[in-house]
Amino acid sequence: RGLCVAAGPPNTRQLREAEEAAPVFQYAGKAARRKDRVFVWGFSFSGALGVPSFVKPDAGWKKPRRIQATPYRLETEEKISSAACGYGFTLLASNTRDITKVWGMGLNKDSQLGFQRSRRDQTKGYEYVLEPSPIPLPLEKPQQTRVLQVSCGRAHSLVLTDSEGVFTMGNNSYGQCGRKVVEDEIYSGSHLIHQLKEFDSRVVQVVCGQDHSLFRTKKGTVYACGWGADGQTGLGHYNITSVPTKLHGDIAGVNIIQVSSYGDCCLAVSDEGDVFGWGNSEYLQLASVTETTQVNVPRHLPFKIGKVKEAACGGTGNIVLTEEGNVFVWGYGILGKGPNLIETAVPEMIPPSLFGWSDFSPDIRVAHVRCGLSQFAALTNRGELFVWGKNLRGCLGTGRMEDQYFPWRVTVPGEVVDVACGVDHMVSMVRSF
Amino acid sequence: LNAAPERAPRERVRFLPTPAPGGGGAVELVPARVPVLADHPLVRGPRFRKLKIGAGHRLDVKASGVFVLGIGHGNKLLTDLYNCHLTKVYTVGGLFGKATDDFSDTGNLIEKTTFDHITREKLERILAVIQGTNQKALLMYSNIDMKTQEAYELAVKGLIRPMGKSPPIITAVRCLQFALPEFQLEIHCLHETQQYLRKMVHEIGLELKSSAVCTQVRRIRDGVFTVDDALLRTQWNLQSIQEAIQNCQLKVETELEKTL
């Protein structure tokens, strides 16, 4: 009768007041930090991805996932600063001063992940490690030493620390662990982790080839040990070496700033931007200087592509990155310039427009290049990851099972900081937005 | 339009009887050009009573900008232009801190959030990711077999484009202005709707751990037609329309030849 008035549609003043009175939610405050995450993808049945439910499902509805085709987040306890993928196993290392600094997962038939005590039988070790498990290193000062870098080969792995030298574990049938070869040694379930300290200066980079190891010291010298039948030790002979020995040849006296290897060919970059190579050349990797298929002494590769900043070696193809941000590939296989380019002895440039460069965004540059056995990966300065090559068991992470003939973006929810490529899986360190 | 000088009436040859020179009686047939009576303006009436006008890509009520129309025979060119699949450029203005149900600032408020942690670098990072995923979609929906050499060459030149139906794809995004809480983006896109662009603004807000609404959508380029060619409300008269049609004819023809 005049006491109750119908509400009616809210007029503008009521709307404005309701808006101002609404509560404000805060999702990210001033101290919100970007988190560091690890993403893995590829073949999972070896355990190399570190997700046990892919191999042994823990819930009834889960099915075993043989291949993880797109990036999958891996939960880690610490921030991972360095990762390396071997042939069916992975090592993750963190920069902390805590007691556990290195975790490993995947194949452990040659104790390349150290001794993982089995819970069922305390005397034996696990042959397949499905979850990132800590690797006990025999450190003298475990709460002060930091692990700088890890590297994995076919059946051995190297861990580089800042003050206690290099630790090697795994298969030593060719002396790749840096210790004397013992006849009929059983590597499975072995507790032995060898420590290498005798170099001319501190070791700053360790690289594993398939069955050999390379060490780069602060002074710019390179040491090698392991299998040498393809000349990949670069010591002038084709025998195995069980003690790290200094390399000479064209790199004697040159300050080397980066070494790289994954298969049987090795590349080194000097501080002046020159590239040196040695090892297997069956796939025209070193055909620009020699016709022989095995080169056992480091040779300078006279490429006129500009000052080289970074190089990466794969099984059959090589890739370098120059100071201007251009990417050059050569060798054999899917090199990244379409299906017609299968092999070349001279480096060919991949057009920057394939990495997202255009008139709209002219400041995109490739910042790092990495190589797996038959895949290549490139990281741009915007944090995008491009992959190409043979898509062996889904290792490219594109979501498709076909080979990729030119650089293709991998969708990762974050900015990719580093990536490690293996034979059939890849690990990337990513910062969230 | 009807007042403009018309086509001359058709003429035809008729044999007219005229009295023969000389003595009367015999009638001769002499050919002469005579205008056809059916073409006389008083008989036929005004030339244009209705005009067929077709519209190019849709522009909804809350947006503004270039809107392409085709008149009469120009409608056929409209379908050809649609099949060219050229990109459109929009300037989109957004506001951080609010989330509404229809993603624009005139909708019902759902939530308010803080936004002082947002910086220009974070926004540009998100835009780079959006560009990256849309680049992938561009390659996937273009239905070209990735394993061929021509796919590689087109990808190098950047000419891969979906030539059929596809979901909205953004080819390029750029941040033009950034002044908290407002920001302005320039978006180049294909097969989109304005509501999709507003949803994109909302999703950018969510990615930045806040919320955003879209305040302005303005199309500045539709294929070959830019804001400079467009006619303002005050210019909607016959003279300027005819001039505009003539200016654009050449551009449209070259574009069609290039693509088809």
Side-chain angles (χ1 to χ4, degrees):
Chain A
R1 218 154 275 163
L3 292 168
C4 324
V5 181
N11 52 17
T12 6
R13 211 191 81 186
Q14 280 174 339
L15 274 176
R16 208 160 18 100
E17 280 170 2
E19 207 172 292
E20 274 157 31
V24 179
F25 291 92
Q26 188 182 53
Y27 291 112
K30 283 247 182 270
R33 293 276 168 267
R34 295 171 71 185
K35 299 183 201 50
D36 299 287
R37 300 203 169 112
V38 176
F39 282 82
V40 292
W41 61 91
F43 184 64
S44 67
F45 273 5
S46 58
L49 297 190
V51 185
S53 57
F54 284 169
V55 186
K56 281 192 182 303
D58 44 6
W61 54 269
K62 285 190 190 170
K63 288 204 201 48
R65 212 182 293 192
R66 182 172 160 258
I67 289 176
Q68 173 59 36
T70 46
Y72 188 90
R73 184 154 150 225
L74 183 69
E75 300 274 349
T76 53
E77 285 131 23
E78 299 265 354
K79 176 189 169 221
I80 302 293
S81 59
S82 163
C85 292
Y87 288 41
F89 65 104
T90 321
L91 277 184
L92 304 171
S94 161
N95 213 5
T96 86
R97 283 214 167 115
D98 295 348
I99 300 192
T100 33
K101 301 172 207 289
V102 188
W103 293 264
M105 53 242 200
L107 280 181
N108 199 20
K109 290 198 169 182
D110 288 308
S111 300
Q112 53 262 57
L113 304 174
F115 184 71
Q116 304 287 337
R117 201 176 291 279
S118 161
R119 262 184 267 176
R120 266 188 281 170
D121 184 349
Q122 300 284 337
T123 51
K124 295 209 188 75
Y126 280 128
E127 287 206 332
Y128 289 90
V129 179
L130 298 179
E131 226 184 5
S133 312
I135 297 179
L137 294 172
L139 296 163
E140 276 170 41
K141 299 193 187 113
Q143 276 162 333
Q144 283 180 20
T145 326
R146 286 190 202 267
V147 168
L148 296 176
Q149 196 210 334
V150 281
S151 185
C152 303
R154 180 186 62 88
H156 72 295
S157 31
L158 302 175
V159 177
L160 172 67
T161 59
D162 58 351
S163 53
E164 295 198 31
V166 182
F167 289 91
T168 65
M169 43 204 173
N171 193 313
N172 194 38
S173 19
Y174 304 109
Q176 60 263 45
C177 285
R179 55 187 166 91
K180 200 154 160 286
V181 181
V182 174
E183 289 268 339
D184 298 327
E185 184 177 347
I186 301 173
Y187 298 106
S188 154
S190 154
H191 289 254
L192 188 59
I193 299 184
H194 188 65
Q195 190 179 14
L196 291 166
K197 276 196 199 170
E198 298 87 26
F199 298 96
D200 61 353
S201 53
R202 197 162 67 84
V203 179
V204 283
Q205 189 192 358
V206 285
V207 169
C208 286
Q210 195 165 4
D211 282 309
H212 71 290
S213 315
L214 297 169
F215 309 87
R216 175 174 69 88
T217 62
K218 204 162 163 189
K219 283 195 187 153
T221 50
V222 180
Y223 287 75
C225 64
W227 201 40
D230 276 331
Q232 59 262 53
T233 45
L235 295 168
H237 55 78
Y238 293 113
N239 310 325
I240 58 178
T241 320
S242 38
V243 172
T245 325
K246 196 160 156 179
L247 262 70
H248 296 283
D250 285 353
I251 58 175
V254 179
N255 187 12
I256 302 287
I257 55 167
Q258 199 231 343
V259 194
S260 166
S261 173
Y262 200 69
D264 290 325
C265 178
C266 313
L267 284 182
V269 178
S270 73
D271 54 352
E272 281 158 25
D274 297 318
V275 184
F276 299 86
W278 65 98
N280 193 356
S281 178
E282 284 168 14
Y283 302 101
L284 310 177
Q285 290 109 320
L286 307 172
S288 52
V289 281
T290 170
E291 287 282 319
T292 51
T293 49
Q294 275 91 16
V295 178
N296 59 5
V297 170
R299 298 286 303 271
H300 173 62
L301 301 175
F303 296 140
K304 307 248 179 321
I305 51 183
K307 198 166 161 201
V308 170
K309 201 165 66 158
E310 205 176 310
C313 262
T316 57
N318 297 343
I319 183 172
V320 290
L321 174 68
T322 58
E323 287 274 323
E324 300 106 49
N326 291 327
V327 173
F328 288 83
V329 287
W330 77 99
Y332 174 83
I334 302 179
L335 295 176
K337 288 192 74 161
N340 287 359
L341 189 71
I342 296 288
E343 60 174 7
T344 166
V346 178
E348 303 255 350
M349 186 167 100
I350 295 191
S353 57
L354 288 173
F355 294 114
W357 182 91
S358 67
D359 301 319
F360 215 66
S361 35
D363 55 349
I364 288 197
R365 296 261 176 286
V366 176
H368 298 284
V369 284
R370 301 271 181 266
C371 228
L373 198 63
S374 41
Q375 316 90 304
F376 299 90
L379 292 173
T380 60
N381 52 1
R382 291 265 187 98
E384 290 180 324
L385 173 63
F386 287 83
V387 291
W388 66 98
K390 251 191 125 35
N391 198 1
L392 193 60
R393 300 188 273 267
C395 60
L396 289 185
T398 53
R400 297 165 27 215
M401 299 307 293
E402 297 136 18
D403 302 335
Q404 186 55 34
Y405 289 91
F406 55 90
W408 184 270
R409 249 183 207 86
V410 178
T411 338
V412 177
E415 192 184 321
V416 184
V417 173
D418 201 5
V419 72
C421 307
V423 170
D424 52 10
H425 70 291
M426 279 201 211
V427 169
S428 61
M429 267 96 56
V430 172
R431 282 182 86 183
S432 68
F433 293 123
Chain B
L1 250 189
N2 286 329
E6 293 160 0
R7 261 202 318 228
R10 287 177 299 182
E11 296 191 357
R12 63 174 177 190
V13 177
R14 265 188 80 179
F15 291 92
L16 295 173
T18 33
V27 174
E28 271 190 14
L29 289 176
V30 170
R33 279 186 168 273
V34 168
V36 172
L37 281 173
D39 259 354
H40 196 270
L42 289 175
V43 172
R44 204 188 46 199
R47 180 118 182 274
F48 295 103
R49 275 191 293 174
K50 285 188 289 204
L51 277 180
K52 281 207 173 114
I53 299 191
H57 300 109
R58 285 199 193 103
L59 195 67
D60 65 10
V61 183
K62 282 187 271 196
S64 60
V66 176
F67 188 36
V68 178
L69 297 165
I71 304 181
H73 291 299
N75 290 321
K76 296 181 195 142
L77 292 174
L78 272 184
T79 36
D80 293 335
L81 272 181
Y82 180 75
N83 292 334
C84 274
H85 301 286
L86 299 165
T87 55
K88 297 183 261 288
V89 181
Y90 288 80
T91 34
V92 175
L95 195 67
F96 284 122
K98 262 168 60 165
T100 54
D101 55 354
D102 67 346
F103 312 131
S104 76
D105 49 351
T106 50
N108 296 322
L109 179 72
I110 297 188
E111 185 177 63
K112 283 195 338 186
T113 55
T114 58
F115 48 83
D116 20 337
H117 60 276
I118 302 179
T119 60
R120 191 163 182 155
E121 288 100 39
K122 284 191 196 169
L123 182 65
E124 294 197 341
R125 231 180 274 141
I126 303 284
L127 297 181
V129 167
I130 292 177
Q131 259 191 288
T133 41
N134 277 279
Q135 198 81 356
K136 258 181 80 163
L138 193 69
L139 294 176
M140 282 200 320
Y141 282 105
S142 58
N143 284 337
I144 302 185
D145 188 9
M146 288 300 143
K147 295 197 179 166
T148 54
Q149 182 69 15
E150 35 172 297
Y152 163 71
E153 273 157 25
L154 285 175
V156 171
K157 283 187 236 159
L159 288 179
I160 291 191
R161 184 174 278 166
M163 279 301 182
K165 271 193 177 279
S166 86
I169 296 185
I170 296 184
T171 49
V173 203
R174 195 165 50 166
C175 178
L176 294 173
Q177 285 173 25
F178 184 79
L180 279 176
E182 294 174 356
F183 64 99
Q184 209 181 44
L185 304 172
E186 183 185 319
I187 306 184
H188 296 232
C189 38
L190 278 175
H191 305 159
E192 81 304 338
T193 55
Q194 282 78 40
Q195 192 63 12
Y196 181 80
L197 295 176
R198 292 192 192 99
K199 192 173 163 195
M200 179 72 36
V201 170
H202 174 252
E203 280 175 8
I204 290 177
L206 290 180
E207 269 300 310
L208 288 166
K209 299 193 180 79
S210 176
S211 50
V213 289
C214 175
T215 42
Q216 181 212 33
V217 176
R218 183 169 177 249
R219 182 147 69 194
I220 51 179
R221 207 172 77 100
D222 185 344
V224 272
F225 304 97
T226 58
V227 173
D228 308 321
D229 303 325
L231 296 170
L232 298 175
R233 185 76 178 82
T234 49
Q235 291 172 326
W236 288 359
N237 49 22
L238 180 63
Q239 186 66 21
S240 16
I241 293 179
Q242 279 180 329
E243 270 176 22
I245 294 179
Q246 274 165 4
N247 290 342
C248 296
Q249 239 173 7
L250 189 61
K251 277 198 274 185
V252 169
E253 270 173 28
T254 44
E255 190 61 40
L256 286 178
E257 271 172 28
K258 224 176 19 162
T259 326
L260 297 170

